Amino acid sequence: MNSPLQTYLLTQKDNLNTAMVAYVANLEQVAKVKPSIARDIVNELENQRSHLKLIASENYCSLATQAAMGNLLTDKYAEGYPEHRYYGGCVNVDSVEMTAAREAEKLFGADYAYVQPHSGADTNLVAYWAILSAKVETPTLEELGVKSLNDLTAEQFDALRVKFCNQKLMGLDYSCGGHLTHGYKMNVSARMFDSYPYGVDKETGLLDYDAIEKQAMEVKPLILLAGYSAYPRSINFRRFREIADKCGAVLMVDMAHFAGLVAGKVFTGDEDPVKWADIVTTTTHKTLRGPRGAMILCKEEFADYVNKGCPMVLGGPLPHVMAAKAIAFKEANTKDYQDYAHNVQANAKALASACQKRGMKLQTGGTDNHLMLIDIYSTYGLTGKQAEAAMFQCGVTLNANALPYDPMGAWWTSGIRVGTPAITSLGMNTTDMDEIADILDYVLKGTKAGLTKDGKPAKGKVIVDAIVQENAKKRVKAILSKYVLYPELDLDFLKKHFVK
Ligand code: PLP
């Protein structure tokens, strides 16, 4: 009997679909060992093709990026950094890492790039410890007249540890759109640092730079941190720089969410963090559209410190993912990508105004970036969690998100976060945004809260009207049929051979 690959090749005539050949060949290898994993991969393709992805932190990376990840580079240990490794035989990993780093520096105009971090959470830890090393450890060693930590007595080392843990961090409050790693109590960042979060203005929902300055002058943090997971506006980093200089802080920016808008030259000048910050961290898989991972961009002053991400925080790097980062950075340094980034923003603005036209209340009254926060409770009487569940039943993925100072708290929430990076990667444009806003409004109007066992409204349960659900699904399907994810891949063939 022919294998799936042989069968596929037999169906091909003059026009060999090489992407599909590679996919089938890979899945065939996987299925030989564990068919259910090949099945799950194909089912995920079907899932992603059949849902409208409005999750602001997700995207679709290229098949080239995926191919760079799926290979033997994963087998290599390469602790250290290029040309300074704790393992032999790293010449090719050195080449991969240096290529990715130089591509990142070119793309963002950065002094130095460190491309090893595996995720946004650990890249922030690496950045924190690079700053602590530069600003606390080095001066302490100099004061004591020793060269290395190993020269300290046990008492001196203990005193240094106390010093590390008494430094102040000032980042955007989690409840106002900051990330967990920016000093939230449940995260190691608030246990490592003395955390003094700043908020957004209660009336406008906007960052109030004068209030941040006032707070920073009182707190005098070691690190002033800008960046967010859920804030729908651009940030003036020149202003943040002024504040950091005035209060003597290191300026760190976590641009995980909007890195693609920086790479794509949507955010330039005062809105470009790389120009103004000492250290910039980012994930590579959100608007930037690369593999799941992260990196640091920094001024020369911090390069030697971030290079010590391993052994400080990280173990061995993931060479296959660094290879994929190199591909994604190269792809992002093109006119096509710049057009994409501008379309992400144009689609977000169009979607925001289409939602407002239908009576939805948007946090800050709109968006400048790739995301918006919609106050669901005040418009539809539903929690964010209920809206998330109702939309999922109708083929739309998005997430519940707390609004600033949300009375419903961080779990149930009054709001949802909606983003355009993924749908723009599919090719959708501003004319499609009206239909998407209409589907959201149609479903949410046709949804009511489910009931608890004792008949009270349940915050997490929904009942979506059956006809609304059926119609909404049809409408989602109609849009997605115009913009097929990875059109090179023949889903029917893959299902027939790998989903049994
Ligand atoms: N930083 C910000 C601003 C984020 O939004 C996120 C994730 O959502 C992270 C860091 C963490 O990234 P990861 O999930 O890759 O650890």
Side-chain angles (χ1 to χ4, degrees):
M1 205 177 80
N2 285 333
S3 76
L5 181 60
Q6 287 164 333
T7 308
Y8 186 71
L9 288 172
L10 287 171
T11 67
Q12 297 280 292
K13 301 224 164 61
D14 303 336
N15 239 343
L16 196 64
N17 176 348
T18 51
M20 186 61 186
V21 171
Y23 235 79
V24 176
N26 282 337
L27 286 170
E28 190 170 299
Q29 297 299 321
V30 172
K32 272 185 199 157
V33 181
K34 191 73 184 159
S36 70
I37 295 294
R39 176 202 66 201
D40 292 342
I41 294 170
V42 174
N43 280 342
E44 183 59 22
L45 173 63
E46 181 168 40
N47 233 325
Q48 300 236 3
R49 267 199 189 168
S50 57
H51 285 80
L52 192 64
K53 198 198 270 208
L54 298 180
I55 294 178
S57 52
E58 292 187 5
N59 212 327
Y60 306 109
C61 68
S62 70
L63 292 178
T65 299
Q66 292 178 24
M69 260 184 290
N71 56 65
L72 83 174
L73 284 171
T74 192
D75 294 333
K76 194 72 196 95
Y77 245 116
E79 286 177 341
Y81 50 86
E83 296 172 348
H84 184 91
R85 305 283 189 188
Y86 295 88
Y87 286 80
C90 290
V91 54
N92 297 310
V93 177
D94 279 1
S95 169
V96 164
E97 181 167 351
M98 288 192 284
T99 304
R102 299 302 84 81
E103 287 295 337
E105 289 157 10
K106 243 193 289 175
L107 177 63
F108 289 100
D111 286 359
Y112 187 73
Y114 180 66
V115 296
Q116 290 191 18
H118 314 324
S119 77
D122 64 22
T123 207
N124 282 343
L125 270 183
V126 173
Y128 290 147
W129 280 102
I131 296 168
L132 288 167
S133 301
K135 300 293 178 185
V136 179
E137 177 181 322
T138 297
T140 303
L141 295 186
E142 278 168 12
E143 235 170 72
L144 295 170
V146 296
K147 281 215 166 65
S148 121
L149 288 177
N150 293 330
D151 301 327
L152 297 179
T153 63
E155 291 75 25
Q156 286 170 329
F157 187 64
D158 272 349
L160 180 60
R161 289 200 306 125
V162 171
K163 239 188 201 178
F164 283 143
C165 288
N166 280 311
Q167 300 301 320
K168 295 173 181 170
L169 170 70
M170 223 181 107
L172 180 60
D173 199 305
Y174 178 58
S175 72
C176 293
H179 189 252
L180 299 165
T181 55
H182 297 180
Y184 184 56
K185 282 204 176 68
M186 303 299 167
N187 183 264
V188 65
S189 53
R191 299 172 187 216
M192 221 167 91
F193 286 109
D194 201 0
S195 175
Y196 292 83
Y198 57 88
V200 292
D201 183 84
K202 285 204 164 114
E203 290 291 309
T204 62
L206 296 169
L207 290 173
D208 176 344
Y209 297 102
D210 293 340
I212 295 168
E213 177 172 327
K214 186 165 173 282
Q215 187 181 342
M217 291 309 288
E218 281 160 19
V219 171
K220 295 271 167 75
L222 173 73
I223 302 174
L224 178 62
L225 172 55
Y228 55 80
S229 294
Y231 180 70
R233 295 295 176 179
S234 61
I235 295 180
N236 183 335
F237 295 108
R238 184 184 51 75
R239 188 73 180 92
F240 261 106
R241 174 83 262 166
E242 276 169 17
I243 300 171
D245 287 344
K246 207 163 163 192
C247 70
V250 172
L251 179 59
M252 173 171 159
V253 175
D254 178 348
M255 65 168 182
H257 257 267
F258 54 94
L261 301 186
V262 179
K265 312 268 183 278
V266 174
F267 289 159
T268 57
D270 291 353
E271 295 173 348
D272 174 357
V274 182
K275 200 166 152 195
W276 299 101
D278 299 295
I279 290 205
V280 177
T281 58
T282 183
T283 54
T284 46
H285 48 270
K286 298 187 172 81
T287 45
L288 195 48
R289 212 164 61 178
R292 188 159 294 281
M295 70 169 159
I296 297 179
L297 302 168
C298 66
K299 301 282 183 227
E300 203 56 59
E301 178 193 352
F302 289 96
D304 284 348
Y305 295 102
V306 301
N307 265 345
K308 306 214 170 67
C310 168
M312 182 65 84
V313 173
L314 308 170
L318 310 176
H320 54 307
V321 181
M322 294 194 292
K325 288 172 187 172
I327 299 295
F329 300 154
K330 181 86 186 158
E331 289 173 339
N333 209 346
T334 57
K335 171 78 174 60
D336 269 2
Y337 184 86
Q338 288 176 14
D339 291 344
Y340 160 72
H342 282 86
N343 290 339
V344 167
Q345 187 194 43
N347 281 342
K349 282 177 183 287
L351 184 57
S353 64
C355 288
Q356 282 169 317
K357 227 167 60 189
R358 287 164 179 81
M360 294 183 219
K361 203 170 136 210
L362 263 64
Q363 183 64 25
T364 78
T367 178
D368 299 327
N369 54 22
H370 60 296
L371 68 84
M372 66 212 70
L373 290 168
I374 305 176
D375 181 348
I376 290 299
Y377 194 74
S378 75
T379 317
Y380 302 100
L382 299 166
T383 64
K385 267 275 173 266
Q386 286 168 330
E388 177 188 302
M391 293 313 306
F392 186 70
Q393 287 180 29
C394 298
V396 179
T397 55
L398 47 75
N399 64 288
N401 210 106
L403 303 176
Y405 314 105
D406 199 324
M408 293 279 183
W411 176 251
W412 299 114
T413 83
S414 306
I416 55 172
R417 185 183 66 169
V418 169
T420 53
I423 56 175
T424 308
S425 285
L426 291 180
M428 289 187 200
N429 54 54
T430 49
T431 54
D432 298 301
M433 298 304 121
D434 206 58
E435 172 65 356
I436 294 176
D438 209 62
I439 295 172
L440 289 174
D441 184 49
Y442 177 64
V443 173
L444 297 174
K445 275 184 178 149
T447 298
K448 51 184 189 186
L451 298 177
T452 58
K453 280 187 198 126
D454 46 4
K456 298 207 176 95
K459 283 185 197 155
K461 285 193 188 156
V462 279
I463 302 165
V464 186
D465 178 87
I467 298 192
V468 168
Q469 190 173 344
E470 198 187 314
N471 288 340
K473 275 184 171 165
K474 276 192 203 146
R475 290 170 70 178
V476 167
K477 200 169 168 191
I479 307 185
L480 289 173
S481 67
K482 290 195 286 175
Y483 304 100
V484 178
L485 174 65
Y486 306 124
E488 306 91 327
L489 303 182
D490 177 345
L491 181 60
D492 289 339
F493 181 92
L494 296 175
K495 276 176 71 176
K496 184 163 168 219
H497 291 273
F498 297 106
V499 180
K500 300 268 158 62

